[in-house]
Amino acid sequence: MRTDGPAADDGLQLVPFRGLRYVPDRVGSLAAVTSPPYDVVVRPDGLHHLESADPHNIVRLILPQASTPDASHRQAADVLSHWLDEGVLAPDPEPALYVYEQSKGDLLQRGVIGALALSAPSAGVVLPHEDVMPDIVEDRAALMRSTAANLEPLLLTYRSGAANGTGATAVIERTVQQPPLLATTTEDGFSHRLWSVTDPSDLAQITNDLAHRQALIADGHHRWATYLRLNEEHSSPSPWNYGLVLLIDTARYPLQVRAIHRLLNQLPVADALAALGDAFRIRHLDVPLPKALDALAEAAEAGNAFLLAGDGGFHLIDRPDQDLLNRTIRNDRPTAWRTLDATVLHSTLLDHIWRIPDAPEHISYIHATEAAVEQAERRGGTAVLMHPVREDVVRDLAREGVTMPRKSTSFGPKPATGLVLRSLELDD
């Protein structure tokens, strides 16, 4: 792998690495050792489910469970070392880029996994669009230091507009005609296939195509911030100057954009509604969840709207008082940012009306709609269900250098964690 530090004004520099992969004969099945990304796992139920699926499930590395954070990070490093010694995980024989495919029904997504040269935000090569929480970045950094590994790829997107016969797209389309390194179907119904690309001409074609591209972080802002922090701790050249990513050309394979919901752990629905007063219009919906989400989508076309749940019913709140928004939302940002649902939720509802700190004990971020409702009902809290943001809004704000409130979007499908890892010690 190339280890000379990236130049600040370069485009995307994706380089091969020796992938660390599960040895199929040493695990129950490849599907049983995979996991969603660490921040998508619904805890504790989903965590326990994954841990029991196979003793070698990757969740034991990405979400290690111990009495303290330091102990958890040491445990992950010990488990990784043990699995390597036992031959549960083994490195591929030579550096490669990896073509990765996900499919389910009519949905098909293909991209390239590699080690991406890190660059400062000011370079404009990789565009973040969400804020991050420092405590999560510190936790992920400590885990990466302990394991000396990138355990799961970030999801980045770019738009090439290239025809099938050129660039990375051409390499991908040729590669998928060959037998894959692995193929599995996970319990969510997604089929996953992985190929290695080692031919010098194919690697050069991908490199040249990406050299002038700009990428948007679709999923993994905290891990990207972690990469940048660890990059600052190591002088060039170093394997820490690179991070594991999956790059998707959304001109060829458009992603889906979903919302990330909030679970207000200590705020009952009745109290949440009472605190609103006349600040929002409130409508109580005696309908199933799918119909309630349809009502949310319809209301969101006209302005800010949210669906509250947790007491066995659904409550649509919309038409916020404009004077209240003017008082509670900062006015030094573009209109597109000021009118985001996530902006109104955090600035007006959470900070001003409900006065809820953005801390894990108060707010949980949950991707699955049903899980958010179920946990709210179980805990006696309030689920705030969100409507998705359009991808063009996300990209336009990112290009302006404006970050959205944390956990504003969920791009997908997300890559399965556990199919290929990157050991920094192998690249040293």
Side-chain angles (χ1 to χ4, degrees):
M1 149 174 184
R2 182 176 132 183
T3 56
D4 54 319
D9 58 351
D10 286 342
L12 299 170
Q13 299 177 39
L14 195 69
V15 302
F17 68 102
R18 289 182 66 193
L20 200 60
R21 296 189 294 111
Y22 279 100
V23 178
D25 293 343
R26 301 306 305 273
V27 298
S29 71
L30 288 175
V33 296
T34 64
S35 164
Y38 80 96
D39 58 337
V40 180
V41 176
V42 178
R43 287 162 268 186
D45 298 353
L47 179 63
H48 294 158
H49 173 71
L50 292 166
E51 287 178 330
S52 61
D54 189 284
H56 301 108
N57 189 283
I58 193 69
V59 78
R60 297 182 186 277
L61 299 183
I62 63 172
L63 289 173
Q65 301 299 297
S67 57
T68 66
D70 287 345
S72 294
H73 304 145
R74 289 194 301 271
Q75 176 178 293
D78 291 342
V79 168
L80 177 58
S81 178
H82 186 56
W83 288 357
L84 288 168
D85 291 342
E86 284 188 325
V88 174
L89 290 167
D92 284 335
E94 59 181 319
L97 295 178
Y98 295 86
V99 170
Y100 175 50
E101 176 190 273
Q102 293 168 274
S103 61
K104 182 180 180 181
D106 295 333
L107 192 154
L108 177 65
Q109 178 174 287
R110 291 171 177 157
V112 180
I113 296 175
L116 183 68
L118 304 176
S119 58
S122 59
V125 176
V126 176
L127 302 175
H129 68 268
E130 290 183 357
D131 294 331
V132 297
M133 292 176 265
D135 57 328
I136 295 180
V137 174
E138 181 51 47
D139 177 74
R140 292 293 103 182
L143 179 63
M144 285 190 201
R145 291 189 198 99
S146 295
T147 58
N150 298 155
L151 300 172
E152 47 188 335
L154 280 66
L155 177 59
L156 305 184
T157 71
Y158 69 101
R159 297 186 65 83
S160 71
N164 288 358
T166 61
T169 297
V171 176
I172 290 172
E173 300 302 330
R174 287 197 303 270
T175 300
V176 298
Q177 303 305 314
Q178 306 300 317
L181 287 176
L182 64 85
T184 190
T185 300
T186 45
E187 65 179 5
D188 58 4
F190 273 93
S191 296
H192 308 263
R193 297 198 294 171
L194 190 77
W195 296 259
S196 64
V197 178
T198 58
D199 180 81
S201 62
D202 286 341
L203 294 173
Q205 192 168 351
I206 293 173
T207 298
N208 293 337
D209 184 23
L210 298 178
H212 306 291
R213 306 290 181 201
Q214 180 187 61
L216 175 74
I217 301 176
D219 185 66
H221 282 81
H222 288 89
R223 282 166 284 163
W224 180 256
T226 298
Y227 286 168
L228 295 181
R229 174 178 296 190
L230 296 174
N231 177 46
E232 292 176 354
E233 297 174 3
H234 297 80
S235 58
S236 299
S238 166
W240 296 91
N241 303 147
Y242 297 78
L244 185 64
V245 305
L246 165 63
L247 275 165
I248 302 288
D249 179 3
T250 54
R252 181 77 173 88
Y253 298 105
L255 293 181
Q256 298 175 332
V257 186
R258 293 189 172 93
I260 302 177
H261 310 297
R262 275 65 169 162
L263 173 56
L264 311 182
N265 296 300
Q266 301 177 28
L267 181 68
V269 173
D271 293 348
L273 293 171
L276 290 176
D278 297 327
F280 285 73
R281 181 176 70 167
I282 303 172
R283 286 180 283 168
H284 305 286
L285 308 178
D286 186 18
V287 297
L289 177 58
K291 293 291 187 182
L293 292 174
D294 288 344
L296 173 62
E298 182 179 352
E301 292 181 3
N304 302 115
F306 309 92
L307 197 62
L308 307 188
D311 61 352
F314 299 102
H315 312 273
L316 181 64
I317 65 171
D318 64 352
R319 298 187 183 178
D321 178 82
Q322 189 59 52
D323 289 338
L324 175 64
L325 298 184
N326 293 339
R327 294 197 309 272
T328 57
I329 296 175
R330 54 191 296 182
N331 58 14
D332 60 345
R333 295 292 182 91
T335 300
W337 182 90
R338 290 173 51 81
T339 55
L340 287 170
D341 285 341
T343 299
V344 173
L345 173 60
H346 282 264
S347 298
T348 304
L349 285 167
L350 295 177
D351 292 350
H352 181 77
I353 294 178
W354 293 329
R355 299 187 182 277
I356 296 178
D358 194 354
E361 61 270 25
H362 292 282
I363 304 176
S364 300
Y365 293 84
I366 300 180
H367 293 70
T369 308
E370 295 83 356
V373 175
E374 290 170 2
Q375 291 210 27
E377 292 177 349
R378 186 189 310 169
R379 300 180 188 181
T382 298
V384 183
L385 306 183
M386 310 278 287
H387 187 68
V389 182
R390 297 195 318 274
E391 182 180 359
D392 61 316
V393 173
V394 176
R395 194 176 295 274
D396 288 346
L397 285 172
R399 284 176 173 156
E400 291 184 51
V402 178
T403 54
M404 299 163 62
R406 59 182 67 98
K407 301 294 184 181
S408 294
T409 60
S410 176
F411 284 82
K414 303 179 190 302
T417 299
L419 297 180
V420 61
L421 290 63
R422 174 178 174 248
S423 168
L424 281 81
E425 294 176 344
L426 288 173
D427 286 342
D428 204 348

